Amino acid sequence: MRKDVRILLVGESKVGKTSLIMSLVSEEFPVVVPYRVEEITIPADVTPERVPTHIVDYSEAEQTDEQLFQEISKANVICIVYAVNNKMSIEKVTDHWIPLIIENTDKDSRVPLILVGNKSDLVEHSSMETILPIMNQYSEIETCVECSAKNLKNISELFYYAQKAVLHPTGPLYCPEKKDMKPLCVKALTRIFKVSDLDNDGVLNDNELNFFQRTCFNSPLQPHALEDVKNVVRKNLPEGVSDNGLTLKGFLFLHTLFIQRGRHETTWTVLRRFGYDDDLELNQDFLFPSLKVPPDCTTELNHNTYLFLQSIFDKHDKDRDCALSPEELKDLFDVFPYMPWGADVNNTVCTNDQGWITYQGYLSQWTLTTYLDVQRCLEYLGYLGYSIIAEQESQAAGITVTRDKKIDLQKKQTQRNVFRCNVFGDMGSGKSGFLQAFLGRNLTRQKTIKEEHRSYYAISTTYVYGQEKYLLLHEVFPDFDYLTDADLACDIVCLVYDVSNPYSFEYCANVFKQYFMDSKTPCMMIAAKSDLPELKQMYSCSPLEFCRRHRMPPPQSFTCNTAAEPSRDIYTKLTTMAMYPHARLRCMCTCNRCTFCLCQNFLNSELLQTVRAKLYAVVLRRHVTQEDLKSSTFWLKASIGASVFAVVGIAMYRLLLKTR
């Protein structure tokens, strides 16, 4: 909505422009009328639309043409005043004033005009027969009001219509010549209908209509009012009602009726609630709400947003096969001005045997977009109507900004759910195969991927100690000398070399030494194409010895040349290392069965954390001074506490082994 409205009154001298303004303000006809009154501001709380209104008078006797042109350019709406008893003032409307206004206004920003026939108290006839042809000739004219400054007839109505012409203009909505809504208006209302059709059956049922009414007008429709609306549509357009619900044709007909009956503020209320501006384009503030993301923080979808996206998936998965066919995907994005997902998305996330994006792949792609480009994610959620359907202030409410990664490292724990792994390797080392294997595609299936549809990202879920996490793999282009900060910013580094190429490992070793040897980012070496004969690497030491020297896990054998889906164990290991970068993991299986995994679960358990906290409270219940540290009593308490802690830990460990 506009912050204010500026109304300019123009016309021939002595037609009553100044009298109209003074009669509005004082509510009585002025005895003495000056040539011109100064600009008057009417506060928002006394206007019907609750918007401050500035009323500007024009006087040919006191103002120059240059001043008139400036006022025309600043006005939001212009009232052309004529005297109904003065034929010449009516002729001047078309001969002088309308051409002058059109000439001095921007062609792209249409200024609405209102024709005002003053001094109606002096005649018994109406001037509308003369004015109607003029209104039909110029689309800029919103309406015509006959009034009397002397009798206070239609004075407040005049300025209300002027406000309305600015805040709820007819021009963008309706074409008087065709007596129908304009294409842009139809397009906007069609999108609103599809967003409001929560079950995607092509009909707004009573629940959906009530939700729509409450969303736009803050009050539900009473059952009898709901039936009255449907009866009006049914009477005039039988196909507008189906299965006792409102169809798209009925929805559009209803808004056409509103506009034709002068209630276009109803349609504008709906349009603005769904984010549209005066040009019937989605407002930038609506699509891109403010969201601050500090450095070293990432962005993720929260639980409510995942539920919303799940409802959108279910709404369009008509055959209930847990995958979106090309037709279903097109239907889902029909509320977008463009198709946001290209063919590369099918090679970024999991798909079924037909190549259709699965439910898991669908959520993964949304997670990827949120992580890499949160502004685009906000835009997409805006097109889907997230803030309306989820009843949130904006799309920003659906985004979680994680805390600084440095804090995670200090506390040795994280609440993040998405972890990024940058994959490095020389040309032909098997990086692309490594990414596609994460999506369950073996070498045979990978060969069917077209080069132009190739993706440098792959994202899916893994389970670490029973928790579902997203792992995002990013294949970094192997240009050693031009690695950017984005190439280096990640949670874990994956260095891939080809066991059958004796010169493949050298690239990985050089990347590690130059960029990651002194960083806190964990690294893992991948021995790709392990199904092929292994050749000795032409490097100063073997890959195994290199990993030992730099305290890395040993090289992990990997191949995607399998009959079934490639193993996903290695991706679970990567996610585990990304979640616990501070830990030097001796075991990499994360199977939840071996001794190391049981210990990890035990150490992370709430029970042990509670016991440890209580022991600390007993042993260190008061401030420890240097004298305390030297006293035997202090160390006795510490020894007892440590012993109790060890006994409890061993008992719990044995109990866990028995259950296994």
Side-chain angles (χ1 to χ4, degrees):
M1 290 288 290
R2 290 181 178 270
K3 293 182 179 179
D4 57 6
V5 173
R6 191 173 182 85
I7 304 172
L8 173 64
L9 275 69
V10 298
E12 296 301 298
S13 60
K14 298 184 178 180
V15 293
K17 302 185 295 297
T18 308
S19 299
L20 288 169
I21 299 173
M22 295 180 71
S23 295
L24 173 73
V25 175
S26 63
E27 296 185 349
E28 62 180 7
F29 185 69
V31 178
V32 180
V33 181
Y35 283 113
R36 174 178 171 269
V37 294
E38 294 299 322
E39 179 181 321
I40 292 173
T41 299
I42 302 176
D45 55 354
V46 297
T47 62
E49 296 290 343
R50 301 291 176 184
V51 177
T53 302
H54 310 283
I55 302 175
V56 181
D57 192 10
Y58 165 71
S59 172
E60 186 179 3
E62 291 192 353
Q63 291 177 289
T64 64
D65 289 345
E66 185 62 34
Q67 289 175 316
L68 172 61
F69 300 155
Q70 288 179 359
E71 290 296 347
I72 289 174
S73 65
K74 291 190 292 183
N76 301 128
V77 58
I78 299 175
C79 297
I80 304 176
V81 184
Y82 63 91
V84 293
N85 64 338
N86 186 338
K87 188 176 180 182
M88 186 197 74
S89 67
I90 298 176
E91 292 174 352
K92 281 284 189 177
V93 170
T94 53
D95 295 345
H96 175 69
W97 289 109
I98 293 179
L100 178 72
I101 292 168
I102 293 174
E103 185 180 339
N104 288 277
T105 52
D106 189 356
K107 293 180 180 178
D108 296 328
S109 58
R110 173 185 173 276
V111 178
L113 306 178
I114 292 181
L115 301 186
V116 182
N118 192 24
K119 303 186 180 182
S120 63
D121 59 292
L122 299 179
V123 296
E124 294 181 358
H125 63 273
S126 172
S127 63
M128 294 307 294
E129 289 185 9
T130 309
I131 295 301
L132 279 174
I134 300 174
M135 293 179 65
N136 293 331
Q137 183 180 354
Y138 295 97
S139 61
E140 292 85 359
I141 299 174
E142 287 284 326
T143 189
C144 177
V145 182
E146 288 192 345
C147 57
S148 170
K150 187 173 183 179
N151 293 344
L152 305 182
K153 177 186 174 183
N154 289 341
I155 302 297
S156 58
E157 286 81 358
L158 158 64
F159 291 99
Y160 169 70
Y161 286 130
Q163 270 192 337
K164 191 175 174 182
V166 177
L167 301 176
H168 312 299
T170 311
L173 306 182
Y174 192 73
C175 180
E177 293 82 7
K178 297 180 180 178
K179 295 183 179 179
D180 203 357
M181 287 192 295
K182 291 185 176 179
L184 270 180
C185 183
V186 172
K187 182 180 177 183
L189 290 172
T190 300
R191 173 185 165 270
I192 290 170
F193 179 89
K194 291 184 177 181
V195 168
S196 304
D197 184 11
L198 302 179
D199 54 10
N200 200 33
D201 63 349
V203 173
L204 294 183
N205 58 40
D206 288 357
N207 290 332
E208 291 166 342
L209 279 171
N210 263 314
F211 180 79
F212 172 82
Q213 178 77 11
R214 184 163 46 84
T215 299
C216 296
F217 304 100
N218 297 320
S219 62
L221 278 172
Q222 296 301 321
H224 65 86
L226 200 57
E227 284 304 315
D228 288 345
V229 168
K230 287 187 282 190
N231 287 335
V232 169
V233 176
R234 191 182 287 112
K235 182 179 178 181
N236 293 276
L237 189 72
E239 63 268 29
V241 178
S242 175
D243 298 328
N244 203 33
L246 210 60
T247 65
L248 175 59
K249 288 184 177 180
F251 185 73
L252 295 176
F253 168 79
L254 204 57
H255 281 282
T256 305
L257 204 60
F258 288 146
I259 297 167
Q260 288 174 342
R261 293 182 177 180
R263 291 178 54 194
H264 35 281
E265 65 271 15
T266 304
T267 301
W268 273 117
T269 301
V270 171
L271 290 166
R272 287 187 174 122
R273 178 65 184 91
F274 279 79
Y276 287 92
D277 59 20
D278 288 352
D279 298 320
L280 295 183
E281 298 288 343
L282 283 171
N283 198 303
Q284 293 299 296
D285 292 337
F286 174 82
L287 290 177
F288 303 102
S290 176
L291 180 68
K292 294 182 180 179
V293 183
D296 292 329
C297 297
T298 59
T299 46
E300 301 177 0
L301 298 170
N302 62 30
H303 179 66
N304 289 334
T305 315
Y306 277 118
L307 290 178
F308 168 76
L309 293 172
Q310 178 183 349
S311 69
I312 296 295
F313 184 94
D314 293 339
K315 172 179 172 177
H316 293 89
D317 182 22
K318 294 183 177 180
D319 53 11
R320 298 290 181 263
D321 62 348
C322 288
L324 294 175
S325 67
E327 293 76 20
E328 290 171 339
L329 199 63
K330 183 180 178 182
D331 185 39
L332 190 154
F333 290 124
D334 196 38
V335 293
F336 283 56
Y338 55 86
M339 183 65 180
W341 292 359
D344 60 320
V345 173
N346 294 60
N347 300 315
T348 305
V349 298
C350 293
T351 58
N352 62 11
D353 294 336
Q354 295 171 284
W356 299 351
I357 295 174
T358 62
Y359 172 68
Q360 180 188 348
Y362 164 82
L363 292 182
S364 296
Q365 179 61 26
W366 277 100
T367 303
L368 175 70
T369 305
T370 308
Y371 187 94
L372 296 180
D373 191 349
V374 69
Q375 290 299 316
R376 180 160 292 187
C377 178
L378 291 172
E379 179 189 2
Y380 290 174
L381 289 173
Y383 291 137
L384 290 174
Y386 170 79
S387 60
I388 290 99
I389 304 303
E391 299 184 80
Q392 298 290 339
E393 186 176 343
S394 72
Q395 296 87 270
I399 305 296
T400 297
V401 179
T402 64
R403 69 186 181 188
D404 194 319
K405 191 177 176 181
K406 296 185 185 70
I407 299 176
D408 285 351
L409 291 171
Q410 290 171 1
K411 293 184 176 292
K412 297 186 178 181
Q413 61 180 358
T414 182
Q415 284 84 39
R416 289 192 297 149
N417 294 307
V418 185
F419 299 91
R420 176 168 178 160
C421 172
N422 283 356
V423 182
F424 294 84
D426 205 357
M427 296 289 290
S429 59
K431 301 188 299 299
S432 299
F434 184 73
L435 264 68
Q436 291 301 311
F438 184 36
L439 306 177
R441 296 165 187 158
N442 57 22
L443 188 61
T444 304
R445 193 171 169 188
Q446 290 178 27
K447 289 179 179 178
T448 63
I449 298 174
K450 297 180 180 179
E451 182 62 27
E452 60 268 26
H453 297 162
R454 180 184 173 188
S455 174
Y456 292 94
Y457 291 93
I459 183 170
S460 189
T461 55
T462 60
Y463 284 87
V464 177
Y465 304 124
Q467 301 177 58
E468 185 182 45
K469 302 294 180 181
Y470 282 95
L471 179 64
L472 163 60
L473 302 178
H474 171 46
E475 179 184 345
V476 180
F477 191 77
D479 193 342
F480 184 84
D481 297 324
Y482 294 97
L483 293 180
T484 64
D485 291 340
D487 296 330
L488 304 176
C490 57
D491 299 301
I492 184 168
V493 173
C494 194
L495 300 163
V496 181
Y497 71 95
D498 180 0
V499 298
S500 64
N501 182 352
Y503 302 98
S504 181
F505 178 74
E506 183 179 7
Y507 176 87
C508 296
N510 291 337
V511 167
F512 176 82
K513 283 185 173 181
Q514 181 163 341
Y515 296 105
F516 299 106
M517 188 164 66
D518 298 323
S519 78
K520 294 183 179 180
T521 306
C523 300
M524 179 186 284
M525 200 72 70
I526 305 295
K529 305 182 183 181
S530 59
D531 58 303
L532 300 177
E534 184 173 359
L535 301 179
K536 182 181 179 182
Q537 294 296 318
M538 295 291 104
Y539 191 70
S540 56
C541 63
S542 68
L544 179 61
E545 181 60 29
F546 182 89
C547 292
R548 284 175 178 170
R549 287 181 186 178
H550 297 285
R551 302 182 68 189
M552 294 167 56
Q556 306 291 306
S557 298
F558 175 80
T559 180
C560 56
N561 189 13
T562 57
E565 292 184 1
S567 172
R568 289 173 57 90
D569 289 346
I570 197 166
Y571 304 105
T572 307
K573 297 176 184 180
L574 287 169
T575 312
T576 307
M577 290 179 68
M579 284 183 66
Y580 304 104
H582 55 277
R584 294 290 179 182
L585 303 181
R586 299 182 187 88
C587 165
M588 294 299 297
C589 68
T590 65
C591 61
N592 287 334
R593 292 185 177 85
C594 69
T595 303
F596 179 79
C597 290
L598 289 172
C599 288
Q600 280 291 110
N601 287 336
F602 174 65
L603 290 172
N604 291 328
S605 67
E606 291 184 8
L607 175 63
L608 189 62
Q609 300 295 334
T610 305
V611 171
R612 184 170 64 179
K614 289 184 177 180
L615 286 172
Y616 283 164
V618 171
V619 178
L620 302 175
R621 64 178 178 273
R622 59 192 179 88
H623 181 66
V624 180
T625 64
Q626 290 295 327
E627 288 76 19
D628 290 334
L629 292 174
K630 293 178 181 178
S631 68
S632 58
T633 306
F634 171 81
W635 288 109
L636 178 62
K637 289 180 179 179
S639 301
I640 293 172
S643 301
V644 172
F645 186 88
V647 170
V648 172
I650 292 169
M652 292 297 298
Y653 176 67
R654 287 180 175 176
L655 183 63
L656 284 170
L657 284 180
K658 283 183 179 180
T659 58
R660 289 289 177 181

